[in-house]
Amino acid sequence: MVVPLAAASLFVLATGGWALSVARRNANIVDQLWGVSQIVVVVVALAAGEVRTARSWLCAALILLWGTRLSFHMAWRDRHRDEDFRHREPREAKRNFMWRSLPEIFWFQLIGGGLVVGLPMFAVVSDPQPQLGWLDAIGTVLWVTGFVIESVADVQLARFRGDSDNRGRVLDSGLWR
């Protein structure tokens, strides 16, 4: 029951995001909603899942932190930015971009991708899990490492892009090296 509820919730999120993108004539919101889609998966999984264990709460906490950070980062990044070329070019080239963007961008990424990435969360709320162990500790250390690397890389890229001397250049230093 968890996966259909998550799919329905993601459908509402994706369709609402699409409607907002139509009103703004800017599909960048799909990137901002990617982290939100994972938050939706976690909330639905915890609310509708059959099992809540230390592992499900740990997974939920890590996903909530990641999804929140990512969505805020994307919203901050896009606050004064024009529509990304990935969306602008098809909008200019195709008739009916508005209608095509719903299944091709919003439903595909936020529902399809959200459900695939949500598989581990669905697993930990569907079956009884053993107590947390050393693999969970290793997984958490790897997650923290990845979270820090992603956060630092985002800051480095934002600084690089914020310097007008770097327009048209590729960041090839720091973590981007």
Side-chain angles (χ1 to χ4, degrees), residues 155-167:
V155 169
Q156 290 176 349
L157 185 59
R159 284 186 185 149
F160 179 82
R161 286 185 173 168
D163 183 348
S164 60
D165 291 340
N166 292 326
R167 185 167 299 293

Side-chain angles (χ1 to χ4, degrees), residues 1-3 5-7 9 37-53 56-57 59-60 63 118-126:
M1 192 61 176
V2 175
V3 175
L5 284 173
S9 299
S37 73
Q38 295 310 299
I39 293 169
V40 167
V41 165
V42 166
V43 170
V44 170
L46 287 176
E50 300 165 11
V51 179
R52 284 167 210 82
T53 63
S56 62
W57 289 108
C59 286
I63 295 166
L119 288 173
M121 192 66 210
F122 300 140
V124 297
V125 298
S126 298

Side-chain angles (χ1 to χ4, degrees), residues 1 5 29 42 65 109 146-147 149 165:
M1 192 61 176
L5 284 173
I29 193 168
V42 166
L65 283 170
Q109 182 173 332
F147 187 84
I149 288 170
D165 291 340

Side-chain angles (χ1 to χ4, degrees), residues 106-153:
F106 286 86
W107 287 347
F108 179 75
Q109 182 173 332
L110 297 178
I111 301 171
L115 291 174
V116 169
V117 174
L119 288 173
M121 192 66 210
F122 300 140
V124 297
V125 298
S126 298
D127 294 315
Q129 302 289 318
Q131 294 292 326
L132 292 176
W134 64 272
L135 284 175
D136 299 290
I138 290 172
T140 302
V141 168
L142 288 172
W143 181 91
V144 168
T145 302
F147 187 84
V148 168
I149 288 170
E150 180 178 359
S151 299
V152 170

Side-chain angles (χ1 to χ4, degrees), residues 79-96:
R79 71 192 184 288
H80 301 298
R81 189 174 163 205
D82 291 333
E83 187 173 41
D84 190 275
F85 75 92
R86 296 171 297 145
H87 311 306
R88 186 184 61 250
E89 289 174 3
R91 179 186 303 282
E92 292 169 354
K94 294 180 185 173
R95 293 182 54 153
N96 299 322

